[in-house]
Amino acid sequence: MPITPAPAAAKSELVLAIETSCDETAAAVVRGDGTILSNVIFSQIAIHQPWSGVVPDLAARAHLDQIDLVVAQAMRESGVEPSALTAIAATVGPGLVGGLLIGSQFGKTLAYAWNKPFCPINHLEAHALSPRLTPPNQPRIPFPYLLLLTSGGHCQLLLVRGVGDYERWGTTLDDAVGEAFDKSARLLGLPYPGGPAIEAAAVGGNPNAYRLPQPLSRPPNQPNSPENFDFSFSGLKTAMRRLTQELGAEVVQQPQVVADLAASFQATVAQFLARRAQQAAARFMKHYQTERQAAGQQTGLEEGRATPDDQPYLVMAGGVAANQTIRQAVTAAAAKHGMRFHAPPMVLCTDNAAMVGWAALERLIVGKSWPANQVVRPRWPLSELGDSGRTAATA
Ligand code: KG4
Ligand code: ZN
């Protein structure tokens, strides 16, 4: 069902959005000019902490407890009347089925009661478009750009060509990068979520204290070729487990040992992500310049007199993008090939409903359609969004 507003009116369109795909119950009201009128997030970290990871049943129960309160708060804080909304959006996949059902049913029910269209949103598309959710007085990141999505559930490298036009260059073969942080933190006796705990512990540590294997750096199948953009973290996780077992529980309790292990782990992940970012930036820039020249557009990059304004973006999103060591490594890797680094503000980097509302607005503004009666999809490849045949991304 296409809901196409007149272009001039697009900036004033208002969407109420719901996000419940993992362990955040979130609702937001966003306007087509990039204004976030409200962005409410109930984090379930305290609920899952004793289990050192997300427990799907507990997550679903918590979403059910919170959804009406969170949505009511988002509407109240926005000051928007239901009648002024253009549409109601909710994440319908990929993610944990319980949360997806609760959030999307709640959204559909409101849409029915308020007589508004319902926009089923793909969570990966919401992350992919989130860097463009900038306030009205700030420039919008132009297409195309590279996205390095690094969270507790994903580790993907995507080319974002336009709304609904994504190409996946690489994905994790096993664990997501945030998951590797969480599991390694557990081995070091650090709390959940492991990422911030490892980053804090690593501050006083020596990143060269322990040698950990660089993921996918050896045969078989020439995984180190410049065209391989996949990720893997299970080998690194196993190496951390062996190392902590060899050192023994008593030694691993010593603060300096924990700091050195945390710093060594973090440095290894940073090097790996930076290696992939550098490969991807090289490939991106090759095509970018060729395409620009073919279209008769000069970017300044050709003559070597590019200003920073000419440089395209490599964007990092997801919880792991909070890590300063990783950010610095990825920024330097992108710069080597003339790409600018950008990460949305943390609140838009981690799971939130504002990005879901924004994805709905971007689709609405360019007149993209939604499948009628879209059901929840725990696995929902970006390639199956029903857009142009060029998309090749999978969950
Ligand atoms: O995007 P996110 O908030 O939620 C989803 O996974 O959807 O990401 C959470 C993940 C967790 O695995 C957490 O350990 C990791 O992001 N994380 C970090 C840092 N902050 C959060 N990893 C490394 N360094 C951090 N500072
Ligand atoms: Zn996410």
Side-chain angles (χ1 to χ4, degrees):
M1 166 183 45
I3 322 159
T4 316
K11 286 185 187 286
S12 57
E13 302 298 328
L14 290 162
V15 168
L16 164 67
I18 297 171
E19 158 61 42
T20 51
S21 67
C22 190
D23 60 343
E24 279 92 10
T25 315
V29 178
V30 189
R31 199 160 56 205
D33 64 357
T35 305
I36 300 172
L37 293 156
S38 63
N39 192 14
V40 180
I41 302 173
F42 171 79
S43 166
Q44 301 179 0
I45 283 181
I47 295 168
H48 302 292
Q49 207 154 38
W51 283 267
S52 302
V54 179
V55 182
D57 279 1
L58 294 181
R61 240 178 279 172
H63 285 307
L64 206 50
D65 280 349
Q66 294 296 324
I67 185 82
D68 50 345
L69 301 172
V70 167
V71 171
Q73 191 181 338
M75 285 301 288
R76 200 169 52 242
E77 286 180 9
S78 74
V80 170
E81 290 299 323
S83 59
L85 292 170
T86 306
I88 292 158
T91 304
V92 300
L96 298 174
V97 67
L100 293 173
L101 279 168
I102 291 161
S104 61
Q105 282 308 323
F106 199 87
K108 281 181 188 173
T109 307
L110 282 184
Y112 181 75
W114 292 345
N115 196 22
K116 303 286 172 186
F118 175 74
C119 312
I121 295 295
N122 179 301
H123 182 81
L124 294 172
E125 179 170 54
H127 274 302
L129 297 174
S130 67
R132 287 169 49 81
L133 174 47
T134 42
N137 57 352
Q138 279 179 28
R140 187 145 294 151
I141 293 215
F143 297 121
Y145 54 87
L146 273 178
L147 177 78
L148 182 56
L149 177 56
T150 52
S151 71
H154 310 289
C155 192
Q156 299 200 350
L157 196 48
L158 294 167
L159 169 63
V160 182
R161 289 183 190 271
V163 180
D165 194 353
Y166 316 102
E167 203 175 284
R168 197 188 71 184
W169 286 6
T171 189
T172 182
L173 305 175
D174 37 62
D175 292 351
V177 55
E179 213 178 331
F181 267 97
D182 296 337
K183 288 175 178 169
S184 299
R186 194 176 184 180
L187 293 170
L188 302 182
L190 297 171
Y192 176 83
I198 286 191
E199 184 169 25
V203 170
N206 172 8
N208 300 312
Y210 298 98
R211 266 182 71 85
L212 291 161
Q214 253 301 312
L216 299 183
S217 63
R218 278 175 290 151
N221 304 329
Q222 301 175 331
N224 203 23
S225 100
E227 288 303 307
N228 183 353
F229 296 98
D230 283 336
F231 301 88
S232 165
F233 295 96
S234 66
L236 186 55
K237 187 186 64 187
T238 306
M240 283 293 283
R241 197 177 53 236
R242 284 220 192 100
L243 188 55
T244 49
Q245 278 167 355
E246 276 164 26
L247 290 168
E250 248 174 65
V251 174
V252 175
Q253 275 167 15
Q254 295 168 16
Q256 191 56 47
V257 174
V258 172
D260 288 346
L261 283 166
S264 302
F265 172 82
Q266 181 175 261
T268 308
V269 175
Q271 278 164 27
F272 181 38
L273 294 180
R275 174 155 55 96
R276 287 293 187 249
Q278 196 173 326
Q279 284 169 242
R283 176 171 162 184
F284 179 93
M285 290 306 281
K286 213 167 98 192
H287 292 290
Y288 183 73
Q289 286 180 6
T290 314
E291 279 183 17
R292 288 288 146 130
Q293 278 161 358
Q297 291 170 325
Q298 296 294 309
T299 61
L301 297 168
E302 304 78 0
E303 296 90 32
R305 55 175 177 75
T307 66
D309 285 348
D310 296 319
Q311 295 183 324
Y313 284 92
L314 186 151
V315 180
M316 219 179 147
V320 181
N323 188 290
Q324 291 303 323
T325 304
I326 292 175
R327 266 182 192 232
Q328 280 164 16
V330 173
T331 304
K336 281 192 183 137
H337 293 280
M339 291 190 82
R340 276 185 277 183
F341 177 86
H342 175 79
M346 248 3 257
V347 69
L348 298 179
C349 237
T350 54
D351 286 351
N352 66 88
M355 70 178 186
V356 175
W358 180 250
L361 283 158
E362 287 250 45
R363 291 196 139 245
L364 221 135
I365 289 164
V366 297
K368 293 267 181 200
S369 60
W370 280 276
N373 301 322
Q374 173 71 61
V375 292
V376 298
R377 294 193 56 180
R379 288 185 63 77
W380 187 11
L382 275 180
S383 54
E384 291 173 21
L385 277 176
D387 294 301
S388 74
R390 210 157 60 174
T391 50
T394 49

